[in-house]
Amino acid sequence: MDHFHSTEAAVAALRDLASEYAREIEVTHDIGADQTSRRTSAGFGVTTDPDGSLPHEAFIEFGGLPRVTVHLYPEDDALITVDGINCPDIARDDVPAFLRSVFNGRAYVKSRRFPPSCSLIVPLPGDRTHKEWISMISLTPWLNSRMQ
């Protein structure tokens, strides 16, 4: 497992992944406590955290289907959105493996008849999975194609 000690290192790994899967990638950076989404309490013009560090987050959009975005946070976690389904609290080190599962076609949707429900299941290394509940009305053609 890779350990990404910075947002920039994680972005570089995601650029490599985009290249590996022949997907376009667009990256937007927000740097400074007054710019990052979780630092709204930072005062006007305050760019560093109390410890003097400069927080850095990035928003990455991948081309192709399924539609995938990644929001890398300074706290070493990420929000990954797969075809409109938010998958929060993904460890930054797990992001490449999560995306590989999606891009390789290993991620799937599991449905239950009673009570009726669906979940996006994304296999991760070490026999772990990320499971995210899906509203039946939010099933897209791609998610339907992954149904098991």
Side-chain angles (χ1 to χ4, degrees):
M1 173 185 286
D2 297 313
H3 295 288
F4 303 110
H5 299 292
S6 71
T7 299
E8 197 54 49
V11 168
L14 297 184
R15 285 185 191 281
D16 290 345
L17 196 67
S19 177
E20 179 181 336
Y21 288 95
R23 287 179 168 252
E24 292 183 17
I25 185 172
E26 188 174 317
V27 180
T28 306
H29 295 272
D30 290 315
I31 300 173
D34 60 342
Q35 300 295 312
T36 56
S37 62
R38 291 184 176 170
R39 302 298 204 293
T40 53
S41 63
F44 179 75
V46 175
T47 57
T48 60
D49 280 343
D51 66 358
S53 65
L54 196 62
H56 176 192
E57 67 184 37
F59 183 77
I60 299 100
E61 292 181 82
F62 290 88
L65 290 176
R67 295 180 329 270
V68 174
T69 63
V70 178
H71 198 147
L72 293 170
Y73 297 107
E75 295 86 0
D76 296 336
D77 69 325
L79 165 66
I80 299 175
T81 303
V82 179
D83 237 28
I85 305 304
N86 287 335
C87 302
D89 304 320
I90 306 296
R92 184 162 51 193
D93 288 344
D94 283 338
V95 171
F98 185 106
L99 295 176
R100 272 198 175 84
S101 283
V102 170
F103 297 156
N104 280 339
R106 290 194 329 255
Y108 61 95
V109 175
K110 184 172 182 135
S111 66
R112 269 193 353 205
R113 288 187 191 265
F114 192 81
S117 66
C118 291
S119 295
L120 175 64
I121 311 292
V122 181
L124 296 170
D127 290 329
R128 297 176 300 136
T129 60
H130 180 86
K131 182 177 181 180
E132 207 59 52
W133 179 82
I134 303 172
S135 163
M136 299 294 269
I137 62 170
S138 60
L139 285 173
T140 64
W142 183 84
L143 289 166
N144 270 319
S145 76
R146 306 302 312 146
M147 191 76 68
Q148 287 190 353

